[in-house]
Amino acid sequence: MTRRRHPKKEVEAALRYAEDRGWTVVPTAGGHRWGYMRCPQRTRQGHQESVWSTPRNSDLHAARLRRAVDRCQHVGDLP
Amino acid sequence: MTLYHFTLIVEGADLQTDARLDSLWEAGCDDATFGVAAGVQHAAFDREADSYADAVVAAIRQIEQAVPEARVTRLETDELVTVADIARRTGRTHESVRLLVSGGRGPGNFPPPAARAEQRNQLWWWPDVMQWFTRELGLELPATAGQQAEIAAAINAKLALRGLRERLDEHDASVLEQL
């Protein structure tokens, strides 16, 4: 099943970057939040970042999302 | 106006809900990325303002007004820097830094840019850059640039005091005011 694409190309690229490293992207589309992405660790120790539909600056929001993936220690512990 | 990068640690309310994120967006926090890592909630801001203090204090107020149960407890400095910033902080010329980045001079393996990877005005995370200079060139560099580090320390002291004061009784709180 294919996921809904994010309308901003920089953000979509960051979401794919996260998915390539084992994160899950979940579109919610309930208001200004487009969805969220969470790391492979599903316990309280895990990481989650919310994704805006229309961030003020898509480049910077995308950089923050990539940074969260790079900092996460759980990449690679796929369930 | 200057672009400032910083992260606020938030307690007291779960911000990872559609309703609370809507309130935060409406309050003007569409320049922040909200997340949680190991149970600690963060709001990572990329904010334009007249000064660093203006940027941080306005962000704290917006979060606490948008979500009344939320309390900002700490400021973490994390900065995106340009080649010019790196040159200033390391005491090198712009050209020297540009060559270190491209690998035209020095040990190579400069950290990849954090944002605008294909554009001219690239940005790096200062902690990555600092680590590289320390590891590869043996330079000892400050974690944050002078004045900004002092403002950050002052804001953190104020946030800590605010948290403690809420737990003091009236007498102790009034004694403290004499300081």
Side-chain angles (χ1 to χ4, degrees), chain A:
Chain A
M1 205 177 76
T2 52
R3 158 178 74 70
R4 192 155 48 84
R5 284 169 65 98
H6 193 284
K8 306 280 182 190
K9 68 176 192 310
E10 302 83 2
V11 178
E12 175 61 24
L15 296 178
R16 291 190 180 192
Y17 179 85
E19 285 174 325
D20 287 346
R21 284 154 186 79
W23 285 53
T24 307
V25 173
V26 183
T28 54
H32 295 295
R33 172 157 83 157
W34 178 87
Y36 60 87
M37 55 182 223
R38 61 176 181 226
C39 86
Q41 178 63 254
R42 296 293 163 76
T43 65
R44 209 183 119 74
Q45 290 307 306
H47 299 178
Q48 177 176 314
E49 296 289 331
S50 281
V51 181
W52 295 122
S53 288
T54 52
R56 195 175 305 176
N57 180 320
S58 301
D59 273 331
L60 292 170
H61 189 47
R64 291 292 189 175
L65 299 176
R66 283 172 190 263
R67 179 69 170 174
V69 175
D70 291 342
R71 275 183 168 177
C72 177
Q73 320 258 304
H74 302 127
V75 169
D77 347 316
L78 289 165

Side-chain angles (χ1 to χ4, degrees), chain B residues 6 28 30 46 53 67 75 95 99-100 103 113 124 129-131 141 143 146-147 151 153 157-158 162-163 167 172-173:
Chain B
F6 53 92
D30 58 330
D46 303 294
V67 182
L75 161 67
E95 182 60 11
L99 284 166
L100 290 173
W124 284 264
V129 171
M130 195 174 59
Q131 216 173 41
L141 300 172
Q147 203 192 2
I151 297 164
K158 189 82 193 271
R162 195 178 69 161
R167 278 174 254 150
D172 288 345

Side-chain angles (χ1 to χ4, degrees), chain B residues 4 10 13 15 19 28 31 65-66 108 115 119-120 127 130 145 167 176:
Chain B
Y4 297 101
V10 186
L15 302 182
D31 55 358
Q65 280 165 14
Q119 294 166 34
R120 281 166 56 93
M130 195 174 59
R167 278 174 254 150
L176 201 71

Side-chain angles (χ1 to χ4, degrees), chain A residues 49 52 55-67, chain B residues 1-8 28-34 43-49 52 55-56 59 62 76-81 114-116 123-125:
Chain A
E49 296 289 331
W52 295 122
R56 195 175 305 176
N57 180 320
S58 301
D59 273 331
L60 292 170
H61 189 47
R64 291 292 189 175
L65 299 176
R66 283 172 190 263
R67 179 69 170 174
Chain B
M1 297 278 262
T2 307
L3 186 59
Y4 297 101
H5 310 277
F6 53 92
T7 297
L8 300 175
C29 296
D30 58 330
D31 55 358
T33 302
F34 291 88
F45 280 84
D46 303 294
R47 170 156 295 195
E48 273 195 290
Y52 184 68
V56 175
Q62 282 174 347
E76 286 183 352
T77 51
D78 55 1
E79 303 158 89
L80 287 162
V81 289
R116 305 185 195 157
L123 294 169
W124 284 264
W125 289 99

